[in-house]
PDB file of all heavy atoms in Angstrom:
ATOM      1  N   ILE N 106     -68.050 -26.033 -10.488  1.00 98.00           N
ATOM      2  CA  ILE N 106     -67.681 -24.710  -9.998  1.00 98.00           C
ATOM      3  C   ILE N 106     -68.952 -23.880  -9.894  1.00 98.00           C
ATOM      4  O   ILE N 106     -69.870 -24.013 -10.701  1.00 98.00           O
ATOM      5  CB  ILE N 106     -66.629 -24.015 -10.860  1.00 98.00           C
ATOM      6  CG1 ILE N 106     -67.134 -23.690 -12.257  1.00 98.00           C
ATOM      7  CG2 ILE N 106     -65.337 -24.793 -10.910  1.00 98.00           C
ATOM      8  CD1 ILE N 106     -66.242 -22.793 -13.041  1.00 98.00           C
ATOM      9  N   THR N 107     -69.042 -23.130  -8.838  1.00 98.00           N
ATOM     10  CA  THR N 107     -70.217 -22.302  -8.572  1.00 98.00           C
ATOM     11  C   THR N 107     -70.167 -20.963  -9.329  1.00 98.00           C
ATOM     12  O   THR N 107     -71.030 -20.625 -10.077  1.00 98.00           O
ATOM     13  CB  THR N 107     -70.371 -22.062  -7.080  1.00 98.00           C
ATOM     14  OG1 THR N 107     -70.476 -23.342  -6.407  1.00 98.00           O
ATOM     15  CG2 THR N 107     -71.594 -21.235  -6.747  1.00 98.00           C
ATOM     16  N   ASN N 108     -69.049 -20.257  -9.087  1.00 98.00           N
ATOM     17  CA  ASN N 108     -68.868 -19.023  -9.814  1.00 98.00           C
ATOM     18  C   ASN N 108     -68.411 -19.333 -11.226  1.00 98.00           C
ATOM     19  O   ASN N 108     -67.330 -19.868 -11.365  1.00 98.00           O
ATOM     20  CB  ASN N 108     -67.861 -18.094  -9.104  1.00 98.00           C
ATOM     21  CG  ASN N 108     -68.076 -16.635  -9.420  1.00 98.00           C
ATOM     22  OD1 ASN N 108     -68.877 -16.280 -10.283  1.00 98.00           O
ATOM     23  ND2 ASN N 108     -67.344 -15.747  -8.788  1.00 98.00           N
ATOM     24  N   GLY N 109     -69.280 -19.043 -12.163  1.00 97.00           N
ATOM     25  CA  GLY N 109     -68.971 -19.445 -13.563  1.00 97.00           C
ATOM     26  C   GLY N 109     -69.945 -20.527 -14.034  1.00 97.00           C
ATOM     27  O   GLY N 109     -69.943 -20.921 -15.173  1.00 97.00           O
ATOM     28  N   LYS N 110     -70.745 -21.085 -13.123  1.00 97.00           N
ATOM     29  CA  LYS N 110     -71.736 -22.125 -13.496  1.00 97.00           C
ATOM     30  C   LYS N 110     -72.652 -21.541 -14.560  1.00 97.00           C
ATOM     31  O   LYS N 110     -73.143 -20.420 -14.441  1.00 97.00           O
ATOM     32  CB  LYS N 110     -72.536 -22.575 -12.264  1.00 97.00           C
ATOM     33  CG  LYS N 110     -73.504 -23.738 -12.525  1.00 97.00           C
ATOM     34  CD  LYS N 110     -74.188 -24.160 -11.242  1.00 97.00           C
ATOM     35  CE  LYS N 110     -75.035 -25.395 -11.374  1.00 97.00           C
ATOM     36  NZ  LYS N 110     -76.012 -25.408 -12.437  1.00 97.00           N
ATOM     37  N   ASP N 111     -72.849 -22.332 -15.584  1.00 96.00           N
ATOM     38  CA  ASP N 111     -73.702 -21.939 -16.726  1.00 96.00           C
ATOM     39  C   ASP N 111     -73.232 -20.657 -17.380  1.00 96.00           C
ATOM     40  O   ASP N 111     -73.987 -19.879 -17.962  1.00 96.00           O
ATOM     41  CB  ASP N 111     -75.185 -21.769 -16.285  1.00 96.00           C
ATOM     42  CG  ASP N 111     -75.744 -23.061 -15.722  1.00 96.00           C
ATOM     43  OD1 ASP N 111     -75.419 -24.169 -16.211  1.00 96.00           O
ATOM     44  OD2 ASP N 111     -76.559 -22.988 -14.733  1.00 96.00           O
ATOM     45  N   GLY N 112     -71.915 -20.373 -17.285  1.00 96.00           N
ATOM     46  CA  GLY N 112     -71.333 -19.203 -17.929  1.00 96.00           C
ATOM     47  C   GLY N 112     -71.623 -17.869 -17.230  1.00 96.00           C
ATOM     48  O   GLY N 112     -71.315 -16.856 -17.766  1.00 96.00           O
ATOM     49  N   ILE N 113     -72.151 -17.941 -16.013  1.00 97.00           N
ATOM     50  CA  ILE N 113     -72.475 -16.699 -15.271  1.00 97.00           C
ATOM     51  C   ILE N 113     -71.380 -16.446 -14.231  1.00 97.00           C
ATOM     52  O   ILE N 113     -71.211 -17.292 -13.285  1.00 97.00           O
ATOM     53  CB  ILE N 113     -73.835 -16.808 -14.628  1.00 97.00           C
ATOM     54  CG1 ILE N 113     -74.930 -17.053 -15.682  1.00 97.00           C
ATOM     55  CG2 ILE N 113     -74.107 -15.537 -13.804  1.00 97.00           C
ATOM     56  CD1 ILE N 113     -76.304 -17.414 -15.100  1.00 97.00           C
ATOM     57  N   TRP N 114     -70.678 -15.360 -14.363  1.00 98.00           N
ATOM     58  CA  TRP N 114     -69.592 -14.986 -13.457  1.00 98.00           C
ATOM     59  C   TRP N 114     -70.106 -13.853 -12.587  1.00 98.00           C
ATOM     60  O   TRP N 114     -70.591 -12.862 -13.078  1.00 98.00           O
ATOM     61  CB  TRP N 114     -68.345 -14.581 -14.227  1.00 98.00           C
ATOM     62  CG  TRP N 114     -67.804 -15.747 -14.994  1.00 98.00           C
ATOM     63  CD1 TRP N 114     -68.041 -16.090 -16.313  1.00 98.00           C
ATOM     64  CD2 TRP N 114     -66.982 -16.788 -14.472  1.00 98.00           C
ATOM     65  NE1 TRP N 114     -67.435 -17.206 -16.635  1.00 98.00           N
ATOM     66  CE2 TRP N 114     -66.743 -17.696 -15.543  1.00 98.00           C
ATOM     67  CE3 TRP N 114     -66.381 -17.018 -13.267  1.00 98.00           C
ATOM     68  CZ2 TRP N 114     -65.934 -18.820 -15.381  1.00 98.00           C
ATOM     69  CZ3 TRP N 114     -65.595 -18.130 -13.082  1.00 98.00           C
ATOM     70  CH2 TRP N 114     -65.376 -19.035 -14.140  1.00 98.00           C
ATOM     71  N   ARG N 115     -69.922 -14.022 -11.293  1.00 98.00           N
ATOM     72  CA  ARG N 115     -70.340 -13.043 -10.303  1.00 98.00           C
ATOM     73  C   ARG N 115     -69.093 -12.357  -9.710  1.00 98.00           C
ATOM     74  O   ARG N 115     -68.248 -13.025  -9.220  1.00 98.00           O
ATOM     75  CB  ARG N 115     -71.161 -13.690  -9.201  1.00 98.00           C
ATOM     76  CG  ARG N 115     -72.520 -14.180  -9.748  1.00 98.00           C
ATOM     77  CD  ARG N 115     -73.071 -15.262  -8.842  1.00 98.00           C
ATOM     78  NE  ARG N 115     -74.369 -15.683  -9.353  1.00 98.00           N
ATOM     79  CZ  ARG N 115     -74.546 -16.665 -10.258  1.00 98.00           C
ATOM     80  NH1 ARG N 115     -73.482 -17.282 -10.767  1.00 98.00           N
ATOM     81  NH2 ARG N 115     -75.752 -17.001 -10.702  1.00 98.00           N
ATOM     82  N   ASP N 116     -69.081 -11.024  -9.778  1.00 97.00           N
ATOM     83  CA  ASP N 116     -67.997 -10.272  -9.188  1.00 97.00           C
ATOM     84  C   ASP N 116     -68.057 -10.436  -7.660  1.00 97.00           C
ATOM     85  O   ASP N 116     -69.098 -10.082  -7.075  1.00 97.00           O
ATOM     86  CB  ASP N 116     -68.065  -8.792  -9.571  1.00 97.00           C
ATOM     87  CG  ASP N 116     -67.658  -8.598 -11.023  1.00 97.00           C
ATOM     88  OD1 ASP N 116     -67.087  -9.527 -11.672  1.00 97.00           O
ATOM     89  OD2 ASP N 116     -67.841  -7.477 -11.520  1.00 97.00           O
ATOM     90  N   THR N 117     -67.003 -10.913  -7.068  1.00 98.00           N
ATOM     91  CA  THR N 117     -66.969 -11.031  -5.594  1.00 98.00           C
ATOM     92  C   THR N 117     -65.955 -10.093  -4.973  1.00 98.00           C
ATOM     93  O   THR N 117     -66.000  -9.830  -3.816  1.00 98.00           O
ATOM     94  CB  THR N 117     -66.618 -12.510  -5.211  1.00 98.00           C
ATOM     95  OG1 THR N 117     -65.405 -12.880  -5.863  1.00 98.00           O
ATOM     96  CG2 THR N 117     -67.757 -13.445  -5.607  1.00 98.00           C
ATOM     97  N   PHE N 118     -65.023  -9.556  -5.800  1.00 97.00           N
ATOM     98  CA  PHE N 118     -64.119  -8.556  -5.311  1.00 97.00           C
ATOM     99  C   PHE N 118     -64.669  -7.206  -5.663  1.00 97.00           C
ATOM    100  O   PHE N 118     -64.992  -6.929  -6.852  1.00 97.00           O
ATOM    101  CB  PHE N 118     -62.749  -8.728  -6.003  1.00 97.00           C
ATOM    102  CG  PHE N 118     -61.703  -7.721  -5.578  1.00 97.00           C
ATOM    103  CD1 PHE N 118     -61.132  -7.792  -4.307  1.00 97.00           C
ATOM    104  CD2 PHE N 118     -61.399  -6.661  -6.369  1.00 97.00           C
ATOM    105  CE1 PHE N 118     -60.217  -6.811  -3.873  1.00 97.00           C
ATOM    106  CE2 PHE N 118     -60.481  -5.686  -5.992  1.00 97.00           C
ATOM    107  CZ  PHE N 118     -59.900  -5.775  -4.726  1.00 97.00           C
ATOM    108  N   ILE N 119     -64.847  -6.358  -4.694  1.00 95.00           N
ATOM    109  CA  ILE N 119     -65.483  -5.000  -4.911  1.00 95.00           C
ATOM    110  C   ILE N 119     -64.471  -3.871  -4.625  1.00 95.00           C
ATOM    111  O   ILE N 119     -64.842  -2.722  -4.681  1.00 95.00           O
ATOM    112  CB  ILE N 119     -66.744  -4.848  -4.136  1.00 95.00           C
ATOM    113  CG1 ILE N 119     -66.487  -5.038  -2.601  1.00 95.00           C
ATOM    114  CG2 ILE N 119     -67.824  -5.796  -4.620  1.00 95.00           C
ATOM    115  CD1 ILE N 119     -67.665  -4.634  -1.724  1.00 95.00           C
ATOM    116  N   GLY N 120     -63.195  -4.232  -4.386  1.00 91.00           N
ATOM    117  CA  GLY N 120     -62.203  -3.246  -4.146  1.00 91.00           C
ATOM    118  C   GLY N 120     -61.694  -2.653  -5.421  1.00 91.00           C
ATOM    119  O   GLY N 120     -62.171  -2.976  -6.520  1.00 91.00           O
ATOM    120  N   GLU N 121     -60.698  -1.772  -5.315  1.00 90.00           N
ATOM    121  CA  GLU N 121     -60.102  -1.168  -6.471  1.00 90.00           C
ATOM    122  C   GLU N 121     -58.686  -1.729  -6.693  1.00 90.00           C
ATOM    123  O   GLU N 121     -57.868  -1.699  -5.769  1.00 90.00           O
ATOM    124  CB  GLU N 121     -60.001   0.381  -6.212  1.00 90.00           C
ATOM    125  CG  GLU N 121     -61.290   1.057  -5.977  1.00 90.00           C
ATOM    126  CD  GLU N 121     -61.945   1.458  -7.266  1.00 90.00           C
ATOM    127  OE1 GLU N 121     -61.258   1.659  -8.296  1.00 90.00           O
ATOM    128  OE2 GLU N 121     -63.212   1.495  -7.325  1.00 90.00           O
ATOM    129  N   ASP N 122     -58.480  -2.351  -7.845  1.00 93.00           N
ATOM    130  CA  ASP N 122     -57.168  -2.852  -8.207  1.00 93.00           C
ATOM    131  C   ASP N 122     -57.011  -2.811  -9.737  1.00 93.00           C
ATOM    132  O   ASP N 122     -57.560  -3.678 -10.415  1.00 93.00           O
ATOM    133  CB  ASP N 122     -56.995  -4.289  -7.655  1.00 93.00           C
ATOM    134  CG  ASP N 122     -55.586  -4.821  -7.826  1.00 93.00           C
ATOM    135  OD1 ASP N 122     -54.858  -4.302  -8.733  1.00 93.00           O
ATOM    136  OD2 ASP N 122     -55.205  -5.709  -7.123  1.00 93.00           O
ATOM    137  N   PRO N 123     -56.252  -1.897 -10.245  1.00 93.00           N
ATOM    138  CA  PRO N 123     -56.120  -1.727 -11.733  1.00 93.00           C
ATOM    139  C   PRO N 123     -55.368  -2.895 -12.386  1.00 93.00           C
ATOM    140  O   PRO N 123     -55.382  -3.031 -13.598  1.00 93.00           O
ATOM    141  CB  PRO N 123     -55.337  -0.425 -11.875  1.00 93.00           C
ATOM    142  CG  PRO N 123     -54.635  -0.227 -10.545  1.00 93.00           C
ATOM    143  CD  PRO N 123     -55.522  -0.880  -9.537  1.00 93.00           C
ATOM    144  N   THR N 124     -54.759  -3.784 -11.574  1.00 93.00           N
ATOM    145  CA  THR N 124     -53.996  -4.909 -12.180  1.00 93.00           C
ATOM    146  C   THR N 124     -54.954  -6.084 -12.492  1.00 93.00           C
ATOM    147  O   THR N 124     -54.530  -6.998 -13.150  1.00 93.00           O
ATOM    148  CB  THR N 124     -52.906  -5.387 -11.267  1.00 93.00           C
ATOM    149  OG1 THR N 124     -53.412  -5.943 -10.056  1.00 93.00           O
ATOM    150  CG2 THR N 124     -51.900  -4.263 -10.933  1.00 93.00           C
ATOM    151  N   MET N 125     -56.133  -6.016 -11.977  1.00 95.00           N
ATOM    152  CA  MET N 125     -57.136  -7.097 -12.145  1.00 95.00           C
ATOM    153  C   MET N 125     -57.943  -6.967 -13.459  1.00 95.00           C
ATOM    154  O   MET N 125     -58.372  -5.888 -13.725  1.00 95.00           O
ATOM    155  CB  MET N 125     -58.052  -7.176 -10.915  1.00 95.00           C
ATOM    156  CG  MET N 125     -57.353  -7.567  -9.692  1.00 95.00           C
ATOM    157  SD  MET N 125     -58.392  -7.463  -8.189  1.00 95.00           S
ATOM    158  CE  MET N 125     -59.555  -8.793  -8.548  1.00 95.00           C
ATOM    159  N   ASN N 126     -58.059  -8.068 -14.186  1.00 96.00           N
ATOM    160  CA  ASN N 126     -58.901  -8.055 -15.385  1.00 96.00           C
ATOM    161  C   ASN N 126     -60.304  -8.561 -15.074  1.00 96.00           C
ATOM    162  O   ASN N 126     -61.224  -8.226 -15.834  1.00 96.00           O
ATOM    163  CB  ASN N 126     -58.248  -8.926 -16.436  1.00 96.00           C
ATOM    164  CG  ASN N 126     -56.954  -8.357 -16.947  1.00 96.00           C
ATOM    165  OD1 ASN N 126     -56.765  -7.131 -16.984  1.00 96.00           O
ATOM    166  ND2 ASN N 126     -56.032  -9.184 -17.333  1.00 96.00           N
ATOM    167  N   VAL N 127     -60.487  -9.448 -14.128  1.00 97.00           N
ATOM    168  CA  VAL N 127     -61.823  -9.915 -13.680  1.00 97.00           C
ATOM    169  C   VAL N 127     -61.944  -9.827 -12.226  1.00 97.00           C
ATOM    170  O   VAL N 127     -60.894  -9.942 -11.503  1.00 97.00           O
ATOM    171  CB  VAL N 127     -62.074 -11.336 -14.207  1.00 97.00           C
ATOM    172  CG1 VAL N 127     -62.140 -11.410 -15.726  1.00 97.00           C
ATOM    173  CG2 VAL N 127     -61.105 -12.380 -13.646  1.00 97.00           C
ATOM    174  N   ASN N 128     -63.113  -9.687 -11.694  1.00 97.00           N
ATOM    175  CA  ASN N 128     -63.344  -9.593 -10.251  1.00 97.00           C
ATOM    176  C   ASN N 128     -64.090 -10.800  -9.665  1.00 97.00           C
ATOM    177  O   ASN N 128     -64.549 -10.782  -8.541  1.00 97.00           O
ATOM    178  CB  ASN N 128     -64.121  -8.287  -9.875  1.00 97.00           C
ATOM    179  CG  ASN N 128     -63.289  -7.094 -10.169  1.00 97.00           C
ATOM    180  OD1 ASN N 128     -62.060  -7.095 -10.097  1.00 97.00           O
ATOM    181  ND2 ASN N 128     -63.914  -5.978 -10.444  1.00 97.00           N
ATOM    182  N   SER N 129     -64.194 -11.843 -10.489  1.00 97.00           N
ATOM    183  CA  SER N 129     -64.874 -13.077 -10.031  1.00 97.00           C
ATOM    184  C   SER N 129     -63.903 -14.077  -9.441  1.00 97.00           C
ATOM    185  O   SER N 129     -63.700 -15.161  -9.928  1.00 97.00           O
ATOM    186  CB  SER N 129     -65.683 -13.702 -11.200  1.00 97.00           C
ATOM    187  OG  SER N 129     -64.788 -13.827 -12.314  1.00 97.00           O
ATOM    188  N   ILE N 130     -63.251 -13.655  -8.345  1.00 98.00           N
ATOM    189  CA  ILE N 130     -62.056 -14.359  -7.850  1.00 98.00           C
ATOM    190  C   ILE N 130     -62.373 -15.361  -6.712  1.00 98.00           C
ATOM    191  O   ILE N 130     -61.498 -16.122  -6.341  1.00 98.00           O
ATOM    192  CB  ILE N 130     -60.959 -13.426  -7.379  1.00 98.00           C
ATOM    193  CG1 ILE N 130     -61.382 -12.508  -6.239  1.00 98.00           C
ATOM    194  CG2 ILE N 130     -60.545 -12.518  -8.547  1.00 98.00           C
ATOM    195  CD1 ILE N 130     -60.297 -11.661  -5.684  1.00 98.00           C
TER     196      ILE N 130
END
Side-chain angles (χ1 to χ4, degrees):
I106 63 169
T107 301
N108 203 354
K110 185 178 186 310
D111 300 324
I113 301 169
W114 296 94
R115 292 159 179 86
D116 287 348
T117 55
F118 179 75
I119 58 171
E121 299 276 331
D122 187 337
T124 67
M125 294 175 66
N126 293 329
V127 297
N128 291 334
S129 50
I130 64 174

